[in-house]
Amino acid sequence: MKNLIATLGILLLAFATEATAQSFKVIVNKANETESVSKKELSRIFLKNKTKWDDGSEITPVDLKASSATRKAFSNDIHGRDVGAIRSYWQQAAFSGKGTAPVERSSDAEIITFVTNNPGAVGYISESTDATGVKVLTIN
Amino acid sequence: MVNRRIPILTLIFVFLIGAKVTFAQSNWEPQTNITGYISTEVNYFDELDGYDLNYSAAVSEAGILISYQPKSNFRIKGVFVYRPKFEIDQMLNEAFGELTLSEEAKFKAGRFLLPLSPSNTFYYAPVNTSATLPILVTNHEFYPVTIDGASINGSIGSEFKVNYDFFAGGFNNSTWLRTGAVRFFGDEVNYFKKQINSSATLDPSYNETYNFGVGGRLGFSYKSNIDVGFSAFKPNDQDVPLLVNVPANGLYPGSPATQIVQESRFEKFSYGINVKLQYQNTKLVGEYWKADLVIDGSDTDLEGGFVELNHRINKVTPYIRYEDQKTADVDYKRYTAGVNYKPSFRKTFKLEYLRYEHSSGDINGFVGTLIYSF
């Protein structure tokens, strides 16, 4: 019985850790005046429901490849759904003509380059990656 | 040939527009999107009259979507869906170019899904929660699914939006397009007409004909929670071949029972309302259509509707649907309950029970579907 309780305790702890862990940081171009963003807003931005920054300029979200561990963490934490569910969302959008998924890049370095070159861009990189050259947003 | 010439000409037209736009702008990263699926299904029916088999398994459809956006304001989209026994022309679901002048004004030309109802979002197997399409989609009596023509569309507003889409063009008359492994879906009206020995029905040659029409949709939405739309479609008046059952002695004293094909003048106008409500993981979708049909000066009302409720619990989505369709002499209902399980983007499993209720006799069926997406 004690073993069962201990196992359940470890599992709960593991889930709790996964739910609260944030292994990514959200970055924008240095020219962007935004300092913070809520999870809900971020989700809307990456689902292309919110398309403009507060100053009226276009938002260009950029995703990591579907196999990326950072994207998995971002998807679970920000959208509350796994990467597969979000890909399904975009497949439905593509077939019904409602839109197409954000552009994708293969690595953190490519995300940083994209954000540096596009004033309206927003992306995310691994928490351990050096974000010099871009601005890191605070997530509310 | 005319039904192939029109989409080809419109495609050439939009490619020319696209080429001009491509050279007109810079600083855009061209984007290509490719996705698709293969769908297999097993059908079982208990009391299907006139069919050799009550059950069958088959590849029900396989589709591929390719879209290319060379500039931020111009995109080309093509969707090809293989379905058993469809002609190539019927498998080319979409092939169009769209020019975005602004969010409020977009211009589209080529072959595209009609914007008449949200049921078009159900049209492709992986994006449809249910294992079967709503009767309104599989049965094309009220309106066609695609059109070869042009559209002007757009949306005004951000959280509260007003959407519009007006179009004109040519389309295939395809009232009975059988789908599914047993190939019963899409043929329901025809099936029940045979069951009651209806005095007249559309002759199969009607499926080969081409017509022109105009229509549109005006919608109002709030975030992704509420969407209400009003649609209308007016095809040109047309001489339609009717298959008429003539009883014994009907032509002259002593004449045998027979069938004749006679052309009748069809004047048709269809209109409807559709609603989508979504709260968190619960979604309610429904629509109601009415068509005023005048056959050789005589009025007939046609109507149909459906309402579907689904609720997603993580990777599992149970759903129920109620449908009703009334034609000149057939009125039937379809009740559906099923479950959609999507463990990953690539895999979808669906299991569904259907019950058709009609005065000629009820039919029960099961549909199991396995879909691989890429």
Side-chain angles (χ1 to χ4, degrees):
Chain A
M1 188 63 184
K2 278 184 182 172
N3 284 345
L4 181 64
I5 292 168
T7 308
L8 281 174
I10 290 166
L11 279 173
L12 281 173
L13 192 65
F15 278 114
T17 307
E18 186 179 304
T20 53
Q22 185 180 304
S23 53
F24 59 88
K25 49 193 172 192
V26 174
I27 57 170
V28 293
N29 188 283
K30 275 201 163 171
N32 195 321
E33 291 179 359
T34 308
E35 298 294 337
S36 64
V37 64
S38 70
K39 286 185 179 180
K40 195 175 175 184
E41 265 185 306
L42 257 186
S43 179
R44 293 189 69 224
I45 286 170
F46 276 82
L47 296 179
K48 294 191 178 177
N49 290 324
K50 179 180 167 75
T51 58
K52 292 194 170 150
W53 295 109
D54 289 343
D55 65 3
S57 62
E58 290 283 335
I59 302 178
T60 309
V62 52
D63 258 323
L64 281 163
K65 291 283 184 191
S67 56
S68 156
T70 307
R71 177 161 171 185
K72 285 174 189 166
F74 179 85
S75 188
N76 287 327
D77 194 23
I78 300 301
H79 296 304
R81 301 189 69 183
D82 62 30
V83 175
I86 300 304
R87 289 183 74 196
S88 297
Y89 169 88
W90 284 116
Q91 188 182 41
Q92 171 153 358
F95 272 113
S96 59
K98 288 179 182 162
T100 51
V103 291
E104 290 183 351
R105 288 293 183 271
S106 300
S107 65
D108 286 357
E110 288 180 44
I111 293 279
I112 291 171
T113 303
F114 185 89
V115 172
T116 306
N117 294 338
N118 291 277
V122 54
Y124 52 87
I125 53 175
S126 166
E127 195 154 38
S128 58
T129 302
D130 180 11
T132 305
V134 290
K135 183 200 278 190
V136 177
L137 293 186
T138 305
I139 301 174
N140 299 322
Chain B
M1 183 60 196
V2 65
N3 56 348
R4 289 184 191 158
R5 196 179 303 142
I6 289 172
I8 290 167
L9 287 174
T10 47
L11 260 183
I12 292 169
F13 174 65
V14 296
F15 271 100
L16 286 174
I17 291 176
K20 273 189 181 293
V21 174
T22 302
F23 295 122
Q25 292 192 9
S26 59
N27 196 26
W28 168 260
E29 177 182 319
Q31 292 175 18
T32 304
N33 183 34
I34 300 174
T35 187
Y37 61 93
I38 298 169
S39 172
T40 60
E41 68 179 53
V42 178
N43 294 179
Y44 171 80
F45 288 93
D46 63 352
E47 296 285 341
L48 217 47
D49 193 30
Y51 282 69
D52 295 337
L53 287 173
N54 284 351
Y55 59 89
S56 187
V59 172
S60 55
E61 56 185 80
I64 184 163
L65 175 152
I66 301 173
S67 70
Y68 177 61
Q69 194 165 357
K71 286 289 165 188
S72 61
N73 61 354
F74 182 73
R75 73 179 174 123
I76 299 164
K77 179 185 173 190
V79 182
F80 185 84
V81 179
Y82 163 80
R83 291 189 175 94
K85 298 193 177 177
F86 274 29
E87 292 176 11
I88 291 289
D89 189 51
Q90 292 171 320
M91 295 183 201
L92 184 65
N93 276 23
E94 295 193 82
F96 68 82
E98 185 171 58
L99 179 66
T100 301
L101 303 174
S102 67
E103 277 307 303
E104 292 80 18
K106 300 175 186 174
F107 174 76
K108 181 161 64 180
R111 175 173 293 183
F112 48 86
L113 284 177
L114 283 181
L116 288 171
S117 85
S119 60
N120 278 343
T121 59
F122 293 117
Y123 195 63
Y124 303 105
V127 298
N128 172 21
T129 305
S130 163
T132 54
L133 293 164
I135 293 170
L136 282 172
V137 181
T138 57
N139 188 287
H140 303 177
E141 187 157 359
F142 294 125
Y143 56 94
V145 170
T146 62
I147 201 160
D148 305 324
S151 144
I152 182 158
N153 60 86
S155 71
I156 300 150
S158 55
E159 292 196 336
F160 176 77
K161 283 184 182 174
V162 178
N163 312 290
Y164 72 93
D165 195 326
F166 300 108
F167 61 86
F171 62 96
N172 280 305
N173 289 310
S174 49
T175 304
W176 328 121
L177 274 181
R178 293 179 170 192
T179 63
V182 174
R183 306 191 60 70
F184 175 70
F185 301 119
D187 197 33
E188 292 96 333
V189 170
N190 207 21
Y191 175 84
F192 286 116
K193 276 183 176 284
K194 280 180 191 158
Q195 293 299 104
I196 63 170
N197 196 24
S198 172
S199 60
T201 186
L202 294 174
D203 186 68
S205 64
Y206 178 65
N207 286 340
E208 308 295 325
T209 57
Y210 206 70
N211 197 7
F212 291 85
V214 296
R217 179 178 189 266
L218 184 62
F220 304 91
S221 64
Y222 178 69
K223 293 184 176 175
S224 56
N225 302 118
I226 301 172
D227 188 280
V228 180
F230 303 92
S231 308
F233 181 63
K234 177 75 183 84
N236 284 350
D237 298 345
Q238 209 178 13
D239 290 328
V240 173
L242 283 178
L243 188 66
V244 181
N245 290 314
V246 182
N249 303 314
L251 295 176
Y252 51 86
S255 67
T258 187
Q259 290 185 318
I260 58 170
V261 176
Q262 70 176 39
E263 287 204 332
S264 293
R265 192 68 175 169
F266 270 40
E267 298 166 35
K268 206 169 177 180
F269 177 60
S270 305
Y271 50 96
I273 178 171
N274 49 71
V275 177
K276 186 187 91 174
L277 303 174
Q278 184 165 2
Y279 179 69
Q280 294 179 343
N281 294 346
T282 305
K283 193 188 286 185
L284 181 76
V285 186
E287 67 181 300
Y288 171 76
W289 270 81
K290 207 164 162 47
D292 299 329
L293 175 64
V294 180
I295 305 174
D296 292 333
S298 147
D299 289 336
T300 302
D301 283 341
L302 311 175
E303 58 185 302
F306 81 90
V307 58
E308 179 184 302
L309 178 67
N310 67 60
H311 177 72
R312 180 174 57 79
I313 309 162
N314 201 6
K315 297 174 189 304
V316 179
T317 306
Y319 55 90
I320 51 173
R321 184 193 287 162
Y322 167 76
E323 295 164 85
D324 189 350
Q325 183 152 332
K326 295 182 179 69
T327 70
D329 52 1
V330 170
D331 177 4
Y332 65 97
K333 298 168 174 49
R334 186 167 82 173
Y335 300 86
T336 305
V339 65
N340 178 312
Y341 172 53
K342 196 168 180 59
S344 69
F345 166 69
R346 296 195 188 284
K347 285 172 275 185
T348 308
F349 303 93
K350 300 176 189 176
L351 185 62
E352 184 168 298
Y353 165 76
L354 309 101
R355 180 177 177 82
Y356 287 86
E357 288 191 352
H358 187 262
S359 56
S360 69
D362 298 341
I363 306 166
N364 297 290
F366 283 94
V367 181
T369 306
L370 170 60
I371 300 162
Y372 175 82
S373 296
F374 59 88

